[in-house]
Amino acid sequence: MSERIGGVEAGRLRAFRSAEEQRYAAARPRSAELAREAAETLVGGVPMQWMTDWPLPFPMFIDHAEGASLTDVDGHAYADFCLGDTGAMFGHAAPAVVRAVQGQATRGFTHMLPTVDAPVVGRLLREVFGLHAWQIALTATDANRFALRVARAITCRPRILVFNGCYHGTVEEAFVQLADGQQRTRSGMLGQFRDITQDASVVEFNDLDALERELARGDIACVITEPVLTNSAMVLPEPGFHDGLRRLTREAGTLLLIDETHTLSSGYGGYTRVHGLEPDIWVCGKAIAGGVPTAVWGMTRLVAERFAEALARKGPGHSGMGTTLAGNALSLAALRANLEEVLTPANYAHMGGLAERLAGGLSGILEQAGLPWHIARVGARIEFVLAQRPLRNGTEAAAAHLTEVEQALHIGLLNRGVLIAPFHNMMLVSPATSERDCDAMVAATAEVVRELAH
């Protein structure tokens, strides 16, 4: 019997990938030229090394992006469902954000002092997301890191708890995993020289019994979690999980941080507002200011009061928080415009309706092909999950992460004019996405699946 990977015959899968790579390279001479030129001065030929993780023979260089479309330097246009891996979730160059950026450009980008946008941004954040007090950072990694430092300061506890398979940027405490039931530092960590499990615990998502056992130690300052695991293969919370998570953390005197950087797609106010969650701290980055590097973190009134007390007693010296460009004038202008004019209930209704249409079309293709995959969705965010049934935890998500299938799927779709995220088969529907874009995605998927499955 021939080898099969994710329900696809291995020989067919590899032949398809090889043919698609040749097709890609032949059609993009200008990108190939730029890749050779960039390799002379940039590590890996790219501005940031992870850009080489795209499953392509050489990087695709972009000329421009607008709305839900993207055009490369060779003139190929794409219906963009990757949207900067969430950074452009609300569309490229949203007109309101463009106007705000252009207006601020003549008044200075950063001056380490607040602008007239600051109180408006604070009010809008409270109105949309519900938390009492706010701070602005550049990335969700920074916001999470600062918030965890605050959690330790106000609880006087040393440890953080995360869920296996989570993603919180490059926050060090998140780089722990369960391997054969044991807590370990994640493999592959570049330059890692100490055991992160000294500072962090990890349990499986949806496992309230394991969570309760860890919290019983009495040394967990904060549980940090996405409301839905998103960055390998999507894992949805089981009924009662979030209620149990909130109850157990309160009983243990542990703070709860919800990171919605990827689940802002869930609806107006994020997953937290849509589903009535009650975090102590709430974080979001990437798309919150329309793609301008910005993140926000909010806190309840009680956490804000305890934060102020911790600042008052710490004395002079560095707090270990903040960066010079955090809360800069450009970020505030873009954030205000995005909150006022882009993150609207009407736009979310458009995104959700089209996402439902897209998910239905893709599910029908998989069902007809008989592949052991399924479509998972949270609001406007959709993923191909390379497993037959919905996943329960990070271990199951890791098992559903089939690199060869994902890479073939990605380049096959790209060559047919649609772009998805390269690492975890993710698609986003933006306010600028059209029915035509969704139909193109469904048609391209049908063609790729037909070649792989038959």
Side-chain angles (χ1 to χ4, degrees):
M1 184 175 179
S2 61
E3 178 190 4
R4 302 186 76 82
I5 305 172
V8 180
E9 195 274 318
R12 178 183 291 274
L13 178 66
R14 289 160 187 161
F16 174 84
R17 169 77 185 278
S18 178
E20 294 297 319
E21 286 181 343
Q22 293 176 45
R23 177 178 174 180
Y24 172 92
R28 293 164 181 83
R30 179 60 178 149
S31 275
E33 179 185 2
L34 289 171
R36 289 190 294 269
E37 181 180 342
E40 296 179 5
T41 55
L42 299 175
V43 175
V46 289
M48 189 66 191
Q49 52 82 25
W50 49 254
M51 292 182 181
T52 62
D53 291 344
W54 289 71
L56 305 171
F58 48 82
M60 182 172 70
F61 285 71
I62 303 308
D63 182 77
H64 65 275
E66 183 178 1
S69 67
L70 182 150
T71 302
D72 69 21
V73 293
D74 289 285
H76 304 292
Y78 307 87
D80 187 7
F81 290 91
C82 174
L83 294 171
D85 194 20
T86 307
M89 180 192 301
F90 300 101
H92 299 287
V97 177
V98 170
R99 289 193 298 271
V101 169
Q102 289 173 335
Q104 189 61 46
T106 60
R107 302 197 301 274
F109 295 132
T110 186
H111 10 70
M112 224 170 70
L113 288 165
T115 67
V116 295
D117 290 322
V120 180
V121 163
R123 173 180 56 79
L124 289 168
L125 288 169
R126 183 186 291 182
E127 289 175 358
V128 176
F129 302 111
L131 280 294
H132 176 72
W134 293 85
Q135 288 279 270
I136 314 299
L138 282 176
T139 68
T141 292
D142 283 345
N144 281 322
R145 188 179 292 122
F146 302 156
L148 293 180
R149 186 172 288 273
V150 168
R152 285 178 163 127
I154 66 179
T155 64
C156 300
R157 293 178 176 182
R159 298 177 63 79
I160 304 300
L161 185 142
V162 301
F163 292 103
N164 193 35
C166 68
Y167 183 71
H168 301 290
T170 55
V171 171
E172 187 165 273
E173 290 92 340
F175 285 93
V176 289
Q177 66 180 135
L178 287 175
D180 300 322
Q182 300 299 310
Q183 300 189 18
R184 298 177 183 172
T185 299
R186 280 193 192 180
S187 58
M189 285 282 287
L190 189 66
Q192 188 60 40
F193 59 89
R194 69 184 183 88
D195 181 4
I196 300 175
T197 61
Q198 295 174 8
D199 305 314
S201 296
V202 55
V203 299
E204 292 286 13
F205 197 72
N206 283 318
D207 189 343
L208 292 175
D209 290 338
L211 173 65
E212 186 171 19
R213 287 193 297 271
E214 284 295 320
L215 292 178
R217 296 162 52 121
D219 62 353
I220 304 295
C222 186
V223 172
I224 174 173
T225 185
E226 308 163 85
V228 176
L229 293 189
T230 60
N231 210 51
S232 55
M234 191 183 290
V235 180
L236 298 170
E238 294 180 342
F241 173 70
H242 278 296
D243 288 341
L245 170 61
R246 181 66 281 192
R247 175 180 56 81
L248 290 172
T249 48
R250 281 179 171 148
E251 289 174 356
T254 295
L255 298 179
L256 175 60
L257 187 162
I258 299 289
D259 180 354
E260 290 232 41
T261 300
H262 284 170
T263 56
L264 190 59
S265 63
S266 301
Y268 184 69
Y271 194 101
T272 292
R273 179 165 178 167
V274 170
H275 295 275
L277 306 188
E278 298 179 355
D280 299 297
I281 303 171
W282 188 92
V283 167
C284 189
K286 288 193 179 181
I288 195 69
V292 174
T294 309
V296 300
W297 54 291
M299 62 204 83
T300 63
R301 183 187 296 272
L302 178 59
V303 170
E305 291 171 353
R306 296 173 70 186
F307 182 17
E309 292 168 2
L311 286 173
R313 66 174 178 262
K314 82 172 185 65
H318 292 295
S319 66
M321 297 170 53
T323 56
T324 302
L325 294 179
N328 67 74
L330 184 65
S331 290
L332 288 171
L335 181 55
R336 176 177 177 175
N338 209 43
L339 290 169
E340 286 183 328
E341 301 185 57
V342 184
L343 274 71
T344 64
N347 275 343
Y348 270 108
H350 170 85
M351 294 160 66
L354 277 188
E356 184 176 8
R357 171 191 175 115
L358 178 58
L362 296 175
S363 293
I365 290 168
L366 300 186
E367 184 177 350
Q368 185 176 17
L371 287 171
W373 309 351
H374 72 275
I375 299 297
R377 174 180 164 231
V378 55
R381 185 185 184 98
I382 300 165
E383 291 188 16
F384 292 104
V385 180
L386 305 181
Q388 199 152 23
R389 294 177 297 278
L391 307 174
R392 186 171 187 267
N393 55 45
T395 295
E396 292 184 5
H401 185 60
L402 306 176
T403 301
E404 286 194 77
V405 178
E406 291 168 354
Q407 291 180 344
L409 186 62
H410 184 275
I411 194 170
L413 291 172
L414 185 150
N415 281 336
R416 288 157 181 80
V418 294
L419 189 70
I420 67 173
F423 317 122
H424 44 94
N425 304 324
M426 185 276 293
M427 296 153 275
L428 281 164
V429 173
S430 79
T433 303
S434 66
E435 290 185 0
R436 182 177 179 180
D437 294 328
C438 292
D439 292 345
M441 178 75 218
V442 171
T445 301
E447 185 176 334
V448 169
V449 166
R450 184 166 56 248
E451 293 198 33
L452 291 176
H454 300 292

